[in-house]
Amino acid sequence: MTAPYRPSLDEISAARARIASHVPRTPLVRLDLGLPDRQIFLKLETLSPIGAFKLRPALNALLSRDRETLARGVATTSSGNMAYGMAWAANRLGVPMAAYMYAGAPQTKIDGVRRLGGEVRFISMETWWQYIIGADRPEFPELLINPVTDQAVLSGNGSIGMEIVEDLPEVDVVLTPYGGGSMTTGVASAVKALRPEAKVFAVEDENAAPVTAALAAGRIVDIETRPSFIKSIGGPSLVPQLWPIARELIDGAVSVSLMQVTEAMRLLFAKSKVVAEGAGAASLAAALTSQHARGNIVCVISGGNIDAAAYSAVLAGNIPAP
């Protein structure tokens, strides 16, 4: 696996131009809660054609390759949204596509991949993680695009950060859900280049918070995780190839509870009529509870692909089962 590096503004700008005809610019909207010490803004990646930010990196990853490289198809490893985004991009470009997913992935994302013509190949959580960190790979002929460390993925994600600073030049804090870290790293690369004084924080589910653990220990550590309905952030550890870059760019981590996340999901629906999955609402949960959230706060609402039963439970005031 080629080691990733911090994408430059030129690379991010090129990525944004590359995907522009396929991905509409998502809005940055104010969430007026009357708080005296902070103004909260929502970067609504839920309004992407697939309902999540992952279409940006997926498209850039494919559009930056030549057709000969894609001739035998593409594959990715994903808990859901990257598979969905890759399926959409591959379908648009007429490229065969496969997704390596674990059986516990949200059904709405599995269905989305299949609806777009992608093949879903189920693997164990352990194998899934080995593919993510590059310790193993499937024995199939497709071009395997790593959803975390692929350079085009980072540049595509950077387009989110570029749009944030263009729409809110006075941004003070950006809160991003942290799964594998590619979104946080891409967004921070653009934000720090355009507004160095802005702070970027990784947001995690307290049931699986490897960034918080790594910052406390001063190194990557393996952690015990607890089952959670939030599927697309958190993990048993960090992706070692990306962590040195992410660590240089972020200003810290914020872990949030499932109760705080579900409260944020209900608030998003009540105030803005925005449907967010757990990972997507985690940044708002952090904005409402973290001592770091002061001034002009941007929450990246990363996706809204949640199974109907789980969302119904949230709206009813409950925490969905894992």
Side-chain angles (χ1 to χ4, degrees):
M1 184 189 295
T2 303
Y5 58 86
R6 175 180 176 175
S8 68
L9 273 181
D10 285 344
E11 289 172 308
I12 293 169
S13 182
R16 188 166 70 158
R18 199 176 284 124
I19 68 177
S21 63
H22 302 282
V23 183
R25 185 188 184 105
T26 56
L28 186 72
V29 301
R30 184 180 172 193
L31 180 65
D32 189 2
L33 299 176
L35 300 173
D37 59 349
R38 71 199 80 179
Q39 298 289 336
I40 296 176
F41 298 83
L42 310 173
K43 180 61 170 167
L44 293 179
E45 292 299 299
T46 53
L47 298 181
S48 155
I50 66 159
F53 79 98
K54 290 286 192 178
L55 188 54
R56 297 177 187 253
L59 270 168
N60 195 48
L62 297 193
L63 293 172
S64 59
R65 263 86 173 186
D66 58 50
R67 296 296 299 193
E68 184 176 341
T69 303
L70 301 176
R72 287 188 288 187
V74 296
T76 194
T77 307
S78 172
S79 62
N81 280 331
M82 185 63 171
Y84 198 0
M86 193 69 74
W88 194 99
N91 178 275
R92 181 61 62 96
L93 298 178
V95 175
M97 178 269 177
Y100 292 92
M101 305 175 75
Y102 52 82
Q107 191 63 41
T108 184
K109 300 175 186 181
I110 295 170
D111 293 343
V113 172
R114 288 173 169 161
R115 188 169 58 250
L116 289 162
E119 177 187 351
V120 176
R121 298 170 183 164
F122 289 112
I123 53 178
S124 69
M125 179 72 82
E126 292 74 20
T127 300
W128 179 87
W129 181 246
Q130 292 302 304
Y131 288 178
I132 291 284
I133 64 174
D136 192 10
R137 58 179 295 122
E139 295 181 2
F140 280 89
E142 298 99 351
L143 171 67
L144 184 66
I145 295 176
N146 190 288
V148 177
T149 60
D150 187 87
Q151 196 61 41
V153 164
L154 298 180
S155 300
N157 287 332
S159 63
I160 301 170
M162 188 170 279
E163 291 176 11
I164 286 171
V165 180
E166 287 176 352
D167 288 344
L168 187 65
E170 307 84 13
V171 59
D172 295 307
V173 175
V174 178
L175 298 166
T176 62
Y178 195 103
S182 67
M183 195 252 276
T184 298
T185 302
V187 168
S189 295
V191 169
K192 294 286 188 175
L194 294 167
R195 184 168 167 80
E197 60 268 43
K199 296 186 182 303
V200 178
F201 290 92
V203 181
E204 303 184 285
D205 170 5
E206 67 177 9
N207 296 283
V211 177
T212 301
L215 292 177
R219 58 181 174 83
I220 294 177
V221 294
D222 294 327
I223 62 168
E224 291 292 328
T225 64
R226 295 183 295 274
S228 165
F229 82 94
I230 303 175
K231 304 298 183 185
S232 51
I233 56 175
S237 189
L238 296 172
V239 178
Q241 297 90 338
L242 190 65
W243 176 241
I245 309 166
R247 177 67 189 92
E248 285 295 316
L249 288 166
I250 65 173
D251 294 279
V254 179
S255 61
V256 291
S257 70
L258 295 185
M259 182 173 292
Q260 290 168 339
V261 170
T262 53
E263 287 174 352
M265 293 168 72
R266 288 188 287 272
L267 183 64
L268 283 168
F269 182 77
K271 290 286 188 178
S272 302
K273 297 299 178 280
V274 169
V275 176
E277 58 194 85
S283 56
L284 176 59
L288 296 171
T289 59
S290 174
Q291 62 181 353
H292 301 296
R294 300 290 184 271
N296 289 323
I297 315 298
V298 172
C299 303
V300 179
I301 310 300
S302 57
N305 294 317
I306 183 171
D307 290 345
Y311 195 61
S312 296
V314 170
L315 294 183
N318 302 313
I319 297 174

